[in-house]
Amino acid sequence: MKKVIVKPKVLHNIPWHYCPGCTHGIVHRLIAEVIDEMDLQKDAVGVASVGCSCFNYDYFDIDMSAAAHGRAPAVATGIKRVQPGRLVFTYQGDGDLCAIGTAEAIHAAVRGENITIIFYNNGIYGMTGGQMAPTSLPDMKTTTSPYGRNVQETGFPIKMTEMLALQEGCVYAERTKVSNPASINKTKKAIRKAFELQLSRAGFTIVEILGTCPTNWGLDPLQAIKWMEEKLEKQYPTGILKNSKGDSVICDKK
Amino acid sequence: MKKVIVKPKVLHNIPWHYCPGCTHGIVHRLIAEVIDEMDLQKDAVGVASVGCSCFNYDYFDIDMSAAAHGRAPAVATGIKRVQPGRLVFTYQGDGDLCAIGTAEAIHAAVRGENITIIFYNNGIYGMTGGQMAPTSLPDMKTTTSPYGRNVQETGFPIKMTEMLALQEGCVYAERTKVSNPASINKTKKAIRKAFELQLSRAGFTIVEILGTCPTNWGLDPLQAIKWMEEKLEKQYPTGILKNSKGDSVICDKK
Amino acid sequence: MRQEIIFAGFGGQGIMLMGKVLAYAAMLENKKVIFLPSYGSEMRGGTANCTVIISDDEIESPIAENPNLLVAMNRPSLQKFEMNVITGGCILINSSMIDQHTSRDDVIKKKIPANTLAAELGNEKVANMIALGSVLELTGCVSKDSIILALKKSLAPRHHDILPLNKAALEIGSERVE
Amino acid sequence: MRQEIIFAGFGGQGIMLMGKVLAYAAMLENKKVIFLPSYGSEMRGGTANCTVIISDDEIESPIAENPNLLVAMNRPSLQKFEMNVITGGCILINSSMIDQHTSRDDVIKKKIPANTLAAELGNEKVANMIALGSVLELTGCVSKDSIILALKKSLAPRHHDILPLNKAALEIGSERVE
Amino acid sequence: MTKVEINEELCKGCGLCINFCPSKVLNYADYTNNKGYHPAKLINPEKCTGCTSCYLVCPDCCFEIYR
Amino acid sequence: MTKVEINEELCKGCGLCINFCPSKVLNYADYTNNKGYHPAKLINPEKCTGCTSCYLVCPDCCFEIYR
Amino acid sequence: MEQVLLKGSEAIAEGAVLAGCRFFFGYPITPQNEIPEYFARRLPQVNGTFLQAESEIAAINMVYGAGGTGARVMTSSSSPGMSLKQEGISYLSCAEVPCVIVSIMRGGPGLGAIQGAQPDYFQAVKGGGHGDYKNIVLAPSTVQEAADLTYQAFDLADKYRNPVIILGDGILAQMMEPIVLPNEKQDFPEKNWALNLDKNRPRNVISSSYPIVEELEKVIIRLNQKAEIMKGEVRWDTLQVEDADYIIVAYGTSARIAKAVVRQAREIGIKLGLLRPITLWPFPYDAIYSLVPQVKAFFALEMSTGQMIEDVKIAIGRERPVYHIGRYGGVIPRVNETLEKITAVAKG
Amino acid sequence: MEQVLLKGSEAIAEGAVLAGCRFFFGYPITPQNEIPEYFARRLPQVNGTFLQAESEIAAINMVYGAGGTGARVMTSSSSPGMSLKQEGISYLSCAEVPCVIVSIMRGGPGLGAIQGAQPDYFQAVKGGGHGDYKNIVLAPSTVQEAADLTYQAFDLADKYRNPVIILGDGILAQMMEPIVLPNEKQDFPEKNWALNLDKNRPRNVISSSYPIVEELEKVIIRLNQKAEIMKGEVRWDTLQVEDADYIIVAYGTSARIAKAVVRQAREIGIKLGLLRPITLWPFPYDAIYSLVPQVKAFFALEMSTGQMIEDVKIAIGRERPVYHIGRYGGVIPRVNETLEKITAVAKG
Ligand SMILES: Cc1ncc(C[n+]2csc(CCOP(=O)(O)OP(=O)(O)O)c2C)c(N)n1
Ligand SMILES: Cc1ncc(C[n+]2csc(CCOP(=O)(O)OP(=O)(O)O)c2C)c(N)n1
Ligand code: SF4
Ligand code: SF4
Ligand code: SF4
Ligand code: SF4
Ligand code: SF4
Ligand code: SF4
Ligand SMILES: [Mg+2]
Ligand SMILES: [Mg+2]
């Protein structure tokens, strides 16, 4: 019998610290699969950010740099400028990317920095215990919006990937989700596409992936998947937001 | 004989430190005129930023707060949250707003903060001696792009106001210029519109004003005006980018 | 009198609540008390633990340096903390979740099948209160009444209907510990 | 020998260049030298000034505490700096731009109509070199040749055609100072 | 013929594989692993079509699939 | 009838008013002000229409206009 | 006087609310998340405003804005976040905007670990920001003190028009103790320097910009004179120093451990005393120096590799040895290991 | 050995280029704009990369990325910008990423003034960031030294895998002096810890995150041991200390003024000497202490209200008086006013 599918080679064989059913793990595996398939283990550098995924430098068996909260795109820029031939990607949560790291992400896009941001959007600060993120949904209850996110006081969910897509330096922006086998395969394709564009030096690429946080959403893993599809995806429709080296450009959907 | 037009009441009667022909002064006067006309001297608080305009707290005879570089929208937020009834505006250059202050501006827009940003865009860091800004034009020579802004290395001019306009919390965004009497009058109308919307608590408003920096552009004041209209405006077309309490919404012009 | 107790288990077992309620009860009895939770990334992957120190005198160091009781609600917790208990101290094991016992022979070994008994009471969630009942029995650090009062004061009135169940749990815990 | 010279005027008069060229020339003569420009927001609104200290011995403090020469290229500069010059020092005035003279009577007063003379030479821009010529005449701190060499070394070869004009300016400056 | 292996010690009992297996091959084990979770278990291995859905949705990389 | 006054000490001689005056009322003075600039000056005051263009474009608020 | 059981973080937040603080701007970071979370629940109940900023930098600058209006305002963070606030703190000090800033230290440097530690003493006390400025730094060591000192911090801030820093650690923030809360404050000082919409006064300006150096120098001299006056707020606590041969100097959580060490040392016949600075700035130099004649050696117990010890050294000079005792990165010093180190010195 | 006339900023930048620095990330701020501007012109000529970041924070984190690959990399800023870099500096130190950071001090706090001053000593030397870390801090006092110390800083950074800070002020950065440049460096150390694409080694990780406190403690202890070794790099200079009754301690621009004061003091019969720390961390405590027996009093001349003076106090204890002399906010101390203050003490 042939091994058909096993843990990707670039993943260390250690258990992950994520909560049961948290889809961070799925996204990690997808990245690893793409690196394996593109045979980039020695050519890839990952930049870990600060959030639940902050220990993922232990999980990927590739060169890794662990950035300060929000600064992964700047760190990736530093690496890429020295080693323009390498695949450089960041892995960032919505708190990391859309709050404290807003400027670093936007300016990486403005510069058309040849890096890829893998943006894990679960609409909440997972690591720190479920505070409101700029991506949290209207009326969503979190530990810092205990009465529900009041849009009058705190605004509407940020349009982050849309902003990045707006910049000329951004050549590819897609939003996907990891809620079932089909969408997981689609996410993998998006990651591969972004990596390929990066290696062809086309410019800045981002894949936003809707994921879960069962723990801080207060839902069990399956309910969380459902909530993601019903609520999160409604706010953040999946699809290609920009593909300036390809064809369709969907920008502001409103 | 009646005084028809004199220096607005809320401007202190002291000379300004701006270089000859620098249009910062025009914009100051327009803000002052609107405050006068709306009779808001005691109700307005201005937030000065860091750039050539950083001493403008000395020029306006209203309560003023001088913010750290890039942080004026956060300072304005702090003020507005305590005193929601006041007119709170920031005055920011393109370096201040589009580089170091990117996140603060975007999140003020995301929150729909009831403040107005007056954004003076001269495509360069004036105060510090003519360095490249995220708004500098492709191939533009500055002290930090001595061989011209290389878009491959440093990207294309940032779409700042477009990004702000993209957020739901932003209700009004207009780009104007101050290159002749007509456009100056138009700018004044835009400022007034933004202030009125703010006072009606509609949300975040921004007026981007194309202005000159004769000194660091290496041009005399008249040449500078021309360059602004010929080059800067080409990159940054004037017009209403968002008016969600009115009608037309022009977003990504691409 | 001074008690240093470690409560340990996984998230969802109500570990923090056990500690907090005990601390509250101690306060109600005018004792000196400190509650110190573990926190942060330790809690990812599901482990949770906290310590309570109760004393008649001022509690100086907030760290339980010489715990005299470990309440181990699941297997990894036992492994993690069993060596911390002082000689002559006690290890209370939730025997519904842990099939072995500690290898230490210089401590008192106690068992309570907390989940099983809770299920019998009709609500697995009160396993923690059952274990807490055992703690009261073993240490006598506060009275059951104080615990009930603490629960009452910390719960919103609309939740007071669960008090009888908790009281029953405490009692079973103190009776059935062995 | 030690010279502390202040050059002051408005932006566009080539004030910094005067100082830098003088400093360069001093270096070429193997003297100790320091050039210190004013900078930053002082320069908005058009004022500019710098100091040059030339000495045979080590220059310790980079600040010209006892300037023995002020070169005032416009009116506000004279007002700003005239009180700084030491007793017995000298104030050189660009009489094309300044119609009065210093009120100090404990200093030597000198004049050069730098702009007028520069215009006569056909290029108002060399007013600074004319004033610098006067400085050389008044202080003897470096030779004209060193200045020319300094200019030559600091200009790209394609600009060397302006050297004769500058040389002429220096000479006029040293001749016509009064 | 397909063989599916589950690394029970990595499993956190989230149930995603169980839910997404189109052939109802999987369910929770009645025992707990060392971490205290009820791991997923093949209850109808013969029904497995090798569709890899379980592998795809498992957040903890517990699956290996052979054909 | 219009009267235009220029505050010469505020003027920095930028020339914007001169350029934008549709009636060619303005030009540089041949003297300099205290800062050293040649200020703007009314050379044809009688031609002034009171259009306020000069006021509008002046960055240093040098103008007052009376009617 | 009813007792309540509160976490250190909650005590800080409630102390602030009772002191009239109605505005909080912050950004989540462990181990102080309970502070913003408490405010998020509590402030809407008292017509206050809780706002989660997009970053620590935005938060501190919102404090600058709100504080400039005269409102009682607070922010809180932990080590990496506090580093980001340093520019803002320098601005607040220079512009003399009263506010309270809570720094809950964790293991550093870098991302470090989230357990309690004390390695940000230098940052808080010497000034991690740029320029010459001084902020009062209060170091609570119990949950009761966390509430009380925060409560008082607002008065101190207003009294001196100066930021006040509460310096705690993860242990203090996370532990619960029974405490008695202070009464709700009713009277607040007038602030005619503020942007407070008083239509009868001339406009005000809040700024830290002084382009003319002579003016800036005057401001710095004035701030320095104010700092001299603020030195009068110095506070410390002592335990069994009267007859002590040896003194531990320790603050915050370390001081609690030190207390136990003192008790145990006495039990084995070592005359140990404790001096606990409550204000870290101003530091109780004189109080410490006054112990020199009677004392053989000093110990600085810190959860850092040695920061406060420098102030102890400045206090006592080279007249007595000062030994550093510490654990790092979130490891808490044990009573017995600390005692061992002291015994080793005491028994020679 | 040809002399060139350079600004301090340019000397720093060219010193870096000659030391093999090929990457610069920075953000404009007066009075150090000539550093990025020099790199913007120069680096493209040597196949290097100059990148103007969107902020100081981005710049320091780009340094973290680039330094992690093993490249020689630099950033520079001035006071407010340096405050913003503190989080990043803490990360760099903890992750042991070698790099050179130039801090050109101006008048602060707040926006302050842009003229040269020295009020960021604490920030650079004690650590404005969070956590226990130590960086070597070099304080050039001439343009020649600006080039030389920057040149050497890269070797120090690589030798210890540690950031090195060049601490100067606006005067140093802006003034021009004739200098002789060092030779272009040819040999560079191997860096097998770096993300350097060496396909024959296992992967590397650059991180400052240690969630398990015991591990973090080990790292801190190791960093602390490294700091002890780095103390061997202490450097200072003296002028006429042999027979001195009084000593000025001063660094950077202040030390130049102090030199003139020493000369003039000697002229009026006061035996004054100068001790000039070249490394501010490690600080020359022993060198200063060794002067105590012969010296009646010490003076700390600083363009701040008193920061380095604390280290002088630690050095000498309370055995001799230490007087602070300073001007602030961008005002430069005058030779004669300084001499007067010293004379007042010397003449009693
Ligand atoms: C400067 C700084 N501020 C705050 C934090 C605390 N912090 C750690 S993770 C995090 C948010 C994580 O949320 P997100 O990026 O959405 O990731 P998730 O955990 O949801 O995957 C925060 C605020 C920090 N480590 N550093
Ligand atoms: C934290 C910080 N970084 C950098 C600076 C230096 N600085 C002052 S003004 C300025 C840029 C100003 O440019 P812009 O905002 O475009 O205003 P302009 O002068 O062109 O009107 C910079 C970088 C500063 N003061 N503070
Ligand atoms: S807290 Fe949320 S995001 Fe973090 S590991 Fe748990 S489920 Fe995943
Ligand atoms: S430098 Fe430019 S922006 Fe600044 S005052 Fe001068 S012309 Fe205006
Ligand atoms: S491979 Fe498909 S059918 Fe087989 S167990 Fe997995 S999900 Fe079920
Ligand atoms: S998806 Fe993975 S972790 Fe979840 S139950 Fe199945 S095997 Fe276990
Ligand atoms: S008002 Fe009009 S016509 Fe009169 S001077 Fe001004 S611009 Fe000219
Ligand atoms: S526009 Fe104003 S400043 Fe310019 S020349 Fe005319 S009056 Fe003078
Ligand atoms: Mg998240
Ligand atoms: Mg600008």
Side-chain angles (χ1 to χ4, degrees), chain A residues 21 211-215 217 219-229:
Chain A
T212 65
C213 176
T215 301
W217 292 355
L219 300 174
D220 73 33
L222 274 171
Q223 289 172 325
I225 292 277
K226 232 186 214 157
W227 194 87
M228 186 224 292
E229 292 206 303

Side-chain angles (χ1 to χ4, degrees), chain E residues 22-66:
Chain E
S23 313
K24 307 279 170 239
V25 175
L26 303 161
N27 208 339
Y28 292 108
D30 50 10
Y31 49 88
T32 58
N33 63 10
N34 256 323
K35 280 191 202 122
Y37 298 115
H38 292 275
K41 204 186 122 163
L42 295 135
I43 49 163
N44 297 313
E46 68 292 353
K47 288 202 189 155
C48 172
T49 62
C51 74
T52 76
S53 290
C54 51
Y55 170 89
L56 283 171
V57 300
C58 175
D60 286 276
C61 259
C62 304
F63 286 88
E64 300 207 335
I65 302 185
Y66 302 82

Side-chain angles (χ1 to χ4, degrees), chain D residues 104-119:
Chain D
R104 288 196 48 189
D105 48 18
D106 59 341
V107 296
I108 302 161
K109 304 175 185 188
K110 295 285 177 183
K111 280 187 189 177
I112 181 84
N115 294 64
T116 325
L117 293 171

